[in-house]
Amino acid sequence: MKRIFIEADLCDGCKNCSVACMQSHAEGIQANVYFLDLEDTANESRNKILLDGDGAYKPIFCRHCDEPECVMSCMSGALSKDKQSGLVLYDRDKCGQCFMCVMNCPYGVTKPDRATRSYVVKCDFCADSGFDPNCVKSCPKKAIYVGEA
């Protein structure tokens, strides 16, 4: 099963991965990052880069856990673990907006959308582009990569 792996010591905090994620999931945008409105709350990243107290960058990505707390706490069945790919998938139409998944994600990755706070935003491994994550392709330092788990 493929997963995104992180080598945090290589991360320089450029946030190319976050912008690539935003562009990948923006609706109605040309396949060009120059048209992406970074101030539009509808455009948001499914990952984040934090700066710790020592000045080191910490990329935070969905780990598509083996036993995902988000899935186990989802009462509506909107989150599920795909047995074939191993990915944690989200069905927006089933979401009851209780945000138990947000409260139970041990990594703080799953979150309500910023614009309406009516659905969950989480990594889908760029399913629309053949499970070839744009965040990985955009990292100039190769701090994030896809590997077998």
Side-chain angles (χ1 to χ4, degrees), residues 23-83:
Q23 190 272 326
S24 175
H25 293 91
E27 295 180 21
I29 299 290
Q30 301 289 327
N32 187 327
V33 73
Y34 296 107
F35 294 108
L36 181 65
D37 182 356
L38 297 176
E39 294 181 3
D40 183 352
T41 57
N43 298 329
E44 59 186 304
S45 178
R46 275 98 173 119
N47 60 56
K48 58 187 169 187
I49 308 297
L50 302 178
L51 185 61
D52 72 11
D54 296 327
Y57 293 101
K58 302 292 180 192
I60 309 293
F61 286 74
C62 179
R63 294 185 171 56
H64 297 276
C65 303
D66 290 332
E67 295 186 29
E69 296 288 332
C70 61
V71 172
M72 291 186 278
S73 64
C74 181
M75 296 181 282
S76 66
L79 285 167
S80 62
K81 177 86 171 169
D82 182 86
K83 292 179 192 219

Side-chain angles (χ1 to χ4, degrees), residues 2-7 14-22 24-25 45 47 49 59 61-62 64 123 125-126 129 131-147:
K2 292 185 178 187
R3 296 284 180 277
I4 294 174
F5 291 92
I6 301 166
E7 290 204 32
C14 71
K15 297 192 179 187
N16 280 359
C17 58
S18 295
V19 173
C21 180
M22 292 168 73
S24 175
H25 293 91
S45 178
N47 60 56
I49 308 297
F61 286 74
C62 179
H64 297 276
C123 173
F125 219 77
C126 288
S129 64
F131 298 105
D132 187 19
N134 282 345
C135 59
V136 172
K137 293 187 286 189
S138 72
C139 182
K141 301 287 186 172
K142 306 298 181 211
I144 52 178
Y145 60 95
V146 172

Side-chain angles (χ1 to χ4, degrees), residues 110-127:
T110 308
K111 62 184 180 178
D113 74 290
R114 289 185 308 172
T116 66
R117 301 191 61 78
S118 63
Y119 62 93
V120 171
V121 174
K122 72 163 298 300
C123 173
D124 62 0
F125 219 77
C126 288

